[in-house]
């Protein structure tokens, strides 16, 4: 198994507040890995610092052997790693298709792949094809989540970071989104998933890390994590 | 033609012409504000730089059709340099520090104009054709007004095309809405901000050419009043909204010209106060402006 992303001793600060305190992560190519934990455990901060949206304080972040630590976001995404942010954050005043086209911005030679990727996204998410001219802010929550994921995929990433994709969505939509996450992995994309929905995440993920108060309290295969009570403990704050 | 109607049409042409200039300026302010969350009070000095470039080009004997685009180019380059030298170091600072920085840039430039060029108003040579008018019965429309309206239309159409149809334009709209996510899309922060300043410089340059074409003179403080008006127009339209800036610019132009044309003589001295009173009245009913920005208060760079 080839290591795609390796994080060592990562610290993230917001002023005096330490959100992430020296965590290690390894993501292998082809895996779905979940980071689970309660609100404020440092999960989103971890993802945001990997892509440079929040500057990491110290540590190492390497991707396919190349260093990402300290690089600006717009350069990091050109390495083939991207984030679908929490709360979807589609460009609400742009159309569905404009959102998707922007997703292909990091491609070195966008002209060649843009149309192909766009077609692939419309095949993968047919509802987006129907809504291609619609202003993204007027899409439903589930459609916006699909758009946010599709927009990330437009850059043909090797690694997709997904921050709370199920947040605020109706249960049936959550099922659909998780099915699509599995489909994406089967199509060769490695996924690092941050979720509060523990049960669903452990169903789709191969492995998981449990975070509490900015540290990783345990890690293991999804089966190990599902069968132990350590997950509940992490949520209740007993380390 | 009925002479009242002729006066009305005449004033309407004046209003479109003045409103168009305000719209160009307000649009320049709005583009920067929408992306950086900064009001650039040195925007007016870009107009003044344009005016001085026209003056020197005229003195050098260059024809207007060369000096006008050249002056706009100088405004573009000045705007990009302004960002690189003065605003980039305070980017991400508080709105107050960016605002004070832009005031400082404005005052430094005004002082330079006063001491290196002249504290007094200087004549700008213009082609004779600008003084001519086209007559339709009782109606006479100045060539410079026709030029002003046509240039405004061309610029607004071109900018609209750029923002809607090109990937760079989309990137700018995206950055204006959510800068962090735009960077996730690989949009380079420095490039998009430099691009926004280049566009705002071109808009200030065009407004400067039109302003000077009406007045045939330039002085160190030329940019102050029109940019103050453009700032009001941008707020009237909805700060940060590009469509709003254009609507606000035209609305302010119409309010000013019609008040000047139709207020009784003894109320004329109060026309500026009345115009601003009307703006306040609009804002009382629409506090976010006529066409508010989609993302009031979203996180900026």
């Amino acid at each position: 198994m080839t290591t795609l992303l390796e994080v060592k001793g990562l610290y993230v600060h917001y002023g005096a507040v330490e959100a992430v305190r020296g965590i290690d992560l390894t993501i292998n190519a082809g895996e779905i890995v979940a980071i689970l934990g309660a609100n404020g455990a440092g999960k989103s901060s971890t993802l945001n610092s990997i892509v440079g949206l929040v500057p990491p304080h110290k540590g190492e972040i390497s991707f396919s052997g190349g260093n990402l630590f300290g690089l600006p976001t717009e350069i990091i995404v050109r390495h083939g790693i991207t984030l679908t942010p929490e709360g979807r954050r589609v460009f609400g005043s742009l159309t569905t298709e404009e959102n998707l086209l922007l997703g292909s911005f990091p491609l070195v030679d966008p002209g060649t792949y843009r149309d192909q990727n766009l077609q692939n996204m419309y095949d993968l998410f047919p509802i987006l094809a129907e809504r291609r001219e619609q202003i993204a802010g007027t899409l439903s929550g589930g459609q916006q989540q699909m758009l946010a994921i599709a927009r990330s995929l437009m850059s043909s990433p090797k690694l997709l970071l997904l921050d709370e994709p199920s947040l605020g969505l109706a249960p049936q939509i959550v099922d659909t989104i998780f099915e699509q996450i599995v489909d994406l992995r089967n199509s060769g994309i490695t996924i690092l998933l941050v979720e509060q929905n523990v049960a669903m995440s452990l169903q789709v993920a191969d492995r998981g890390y449990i975070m509490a108060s900015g540290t990783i309290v345990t890690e293991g295969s999804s089966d190990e994590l599902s069968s132990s009570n350590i997950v509940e403990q992490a949520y209740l704050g007993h380390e | 033609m009925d002479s009242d109607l002729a006066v009305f049409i005449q004033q309407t042409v004046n209003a479109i012409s003045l409103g168009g200039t305000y719209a160009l300026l307000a649009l320049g302010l709005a583009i920067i504000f929408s992306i950086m969350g900064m009001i650039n009070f040195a925007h007016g000095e870009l107009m003044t730089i344009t005016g001085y470039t026209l003056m020197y080009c005229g003195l050098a004997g260059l024809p207007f059709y060369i000096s006008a685009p050249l002056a706009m180019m100088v405004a573009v380059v000045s705007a990009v340099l302004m960002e690189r030298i003065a605003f980039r170091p305070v980017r991400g600072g508080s709105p107050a520090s960016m605002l004070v920085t832009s005031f400082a840039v404005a005052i430094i430039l005004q002082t330079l104009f006063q001491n290196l060029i002249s504290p007094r108003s200087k004549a700008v040579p213009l082609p004779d054709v600008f003084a001519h008018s086209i007559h339709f019965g009782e109606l006479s429309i100045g060539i410079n007004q026709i030029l002003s309206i046509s240039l405004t239309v061309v610029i607004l159409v071109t900018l609209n095309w750029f923002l809607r149809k090109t990937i760079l334009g989309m990137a700018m709209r995206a950055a204006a809405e959510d800068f962090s996510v735009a960077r996730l899309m690989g949009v380079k922060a420095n490039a998009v901000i430099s691009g926004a300043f280049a566009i705002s410089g071109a808009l200030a340059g065009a407004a400067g050419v039109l302003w000077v074409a009406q007045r045939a003179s330039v002085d160190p403080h030329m940019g102050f009043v029109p940019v103050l008006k453009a700032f009001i127009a941008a707020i009237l339209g909805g700060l940060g909204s590009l469509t709003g800036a254009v609507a606000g610019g035209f609305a302010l132009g119409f309010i000013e010209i019609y008040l000047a044309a139709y207020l009784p003589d003894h109320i004329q001295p109060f026309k500026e106060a009345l115009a601003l009173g009307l703006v306040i009245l609009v804002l009382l009913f629409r506090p976010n402006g006529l066409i508010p920005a989609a993302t009031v208060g979203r996180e900026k760079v």
Side-chain angles (χ1 to χ4, degrees):
Chain A
M1 240 179 328
T2 35
T3 302
L4 199 53
L5 177 76
E6 183 141 42
V7 173
K8 277 187 197 159
L10 180 71
Y11 282 80
V12 181
H13 294 189
Y14 298 99
V17 181
E18 285 192 324
V20 177
R21 302 185 293 171
I23 65 164
D24 299 334
L25 296 171
T26 308
I27 316 296
N28 299 312
E31 283 187 308
I32 299 182
V33 177
I35 303 182
L36 306 169
N39 244 336
K43 311 185 298 291
S44 292
S45 299
T46 302
L47 292 194
N48 286 331
S49 68
I50 290 171
V51 294
L53 282 180
V54 174
H57 184 69
K58 62 178 182 189
E60 289 171 31
I61 304 173
S62 64
F63 181 71
S64 293
N67 169 53
L68 295 185
F69 186 94
L71 298 181
T73 302
E74 53 264 40
I75 302 302
I76 290 175
V77 294
R78 285 179 166 74
H79 285 79
I81 176 169
T82 192
L83 166 72
T84 306
E86 180 179 351
R88 309 184 266 279
R89 288 170 74 173
V90 298
F91 300 114
S93 64
L94 274 59
T95 66
T96 300
E97 185 148 309
E98 287 172 339
N99 268 276
L100 291 174
L101 290 174
L102 276 172
S104 65
F105 207 85
L107 294 173
V108 181
D109 179 15
T112 319
Y113 302 103
R114 185 179 290 149
D115 293 344
Q116 183 57 48
N117 283 2
L118 194 61
Q119 196 49 54
N120 290 347
M121 288 310 122
Y122 286 148
D123 293 341
L124 199 57
F125 304 98
I127 186 72
L128 297 182
E130 279 173 40
R131 303 293 166 96
R132 68 171 74 188
E133 296 302 327
Q134 193 170 328
I135 298 296
T138 64
L139 296 172
S140 73
Q143 290 162 1
Q144 287 191 17
Q145 186 62 62
M146 289 179 204
L147 175 56
I149 294 174
R151 183 180 62 179
S152 300
L153 296 174
M154 283 292 289
S155 63
S156 312
K158 284 180 260 178
L159 174 63
L160 174 64
L161 311 182
L162 280 172
D163 196 351
E164 302 272 10
S166 76
L167 195 73
L169 299 182
Q172 314 91 293
I173 311 286
V174 173
D175 291 345
T176 317
I177 297 281
F178 274 93
E179 280 163 25
Q180 275 156 347
I181 292 172
V182 175
D183 289 346
L184 290 179
R185 187 264 296 277
N186 294 340
S187 73
I189 297 170
T190 307
I191 291 168
L192 177 56
L193 173 71
V194 153
E195 259 297 341
Q196 303 225 29
N197 190 332
V198 177
M200 289 291 282
S201 303
L202 291 179
Q203 272 178 37
V204 301
D206 304 302
R207 292 189 297 122
Y209 292 89
I210 314 295
M211 281 187 82
S213 314
T215 57
I216 289 173
V217 291
T218 191
E219 59 176 284
S221 72
S222 295
D223 294 339
E224 287 163 8
L225 293 175
S226 304
S227 56
S228 73
N229 63 354
I230 196 144
V231 179
E232 291 99 88
Q233 283 179 353
Y235 275 81
L236 295 172
H238 307 299
E239 289 182 27
Chain B
M1 196 189 298
D2 182 346
S3 80
D4 283 350
L5 181 64
V7 168
F8 178 75
I9 295 175
Q10 187 103 53
Q11 297 299 352
T12 305
V13 171
N14 292 345
I16 298 173
S17 162
L18 180 68
T21 306
Y22 288 161
L24 295 180
L25 285 170
L27 202 48
L29 289 177
I31 284 179
I32 301 301
F33 183 83
S34 68
I35 290 179
M36 286 186 82
M38 179 184 86
I39 303 287
N40 182 12
F41 272 103
H43 197 62
E45 280 51 54
L46 296 170
M47 267 180 96
T48 315
I49 288 173
T50 311
Y52 283 120
T53 311
L54 285 177
M55 179 190 84
Y56 285 120
C57 286
L59 293 177
L62 287 179
F64 193 75
Y65 62 84
I66 293 179
S67 60
L70 191 66
M72 282 177 64
M73 288 293 292
V74 171
V76 169
V77 172
S78 309
V80 171
L81 286 177
M82 200 184 264
E83 188 274 326
R84 188 68 193 82
I85 296 166
F87 301 137
R88 194 167 296 183
V90 294
R91 193 193 296 166
S94 73
S97 31
M98 293 198 280
L99 188 72
V100 169
T101 305
S102 80
F103 267 120
V105 171
I107 288 168
I108 290 167
L109 288 173
Q110 286 175 17
T111 312
L112 288 176
F113 300 147
Q114 279 171 8
N115 292 296
L116 298 180
I117 302 174
S118 165
R120 284 202 300 262
S121 182
K122 302 282 273 182
V124 177
L126 291 175
D128 293 338
V129 67
F130 278 31
H132 295 177
S133 303
I134 300 178
H135 298 273
F136 307 95
E138 288 184 53
L139 194 64
S140 84
I141 294 175
I143 297 289
N144 58 6
Q145 284 174 318
I146 294 173
L147 172 86
S148 159
I149 294 172
S150 340
L151 184 63
T152 306
V153 169
V154 168
I155 288 176
L156 293 180
V157 169
T158 310
L159 187 61
N160 189 55
W161 169 83
F162 171 77
L163 289 172
R164 308 233 156 254
K165 296 295 173 207
T166 68
I167 190 81
L168 285 176
M170 282 179 216
M172 270 186 189
R173 284 156 61 213
E177 194 177 319
D178 191 332
F179 205 93
S180 299
V181 178
R183 295 181 68 195
L184 266 181
M185 304 295 114
V187 175
K188 289 184 175 144
N190 287 339
V192 86
I193 290 175
S194 287
F197 270 88
I199 291 174
S200 92
L203 292 166
V209 168
L210 298 180
W211 201 255
V212 168
Q214 300 275 344
R215 283 157 195 79
S217 70
V218 53
D219 66 81
H221 304 288
M222 182 185 89
F224 179 73
V225 170
V227 165
L228 190 63
K229 297 282 176 62
F231 178 54
I232 294 166
I235 290 179
L236 175 65
L239 197 52
S241 147
L242 304 190
T243 326
V246 174
F250 278 107
L252 191 64
F254 273 83
I255 291 173
E256 285 193 351
I257 294 285
Y258 284 149
L259 285 181
Y262 292 109
L263 276 183
D265 284 347
H266 61 282
I267 307 181
Q268 281 294 339
F270 301 101
K271 69 172 195 288
E272 296 270 320
L274 280 171
L276 290 182
L278 275 174
V279 170
I280 291 172
L281 196 67
V282 172
L283 292 176
L284 280 177
F285 290 98
R286 295 190 65 86
N288 290 327
L290 297 169
I291 305 170
T295 53
V296 182
R298 254 289 177 71
E299 176 197 358
K300 301 290 178 193
V301 185

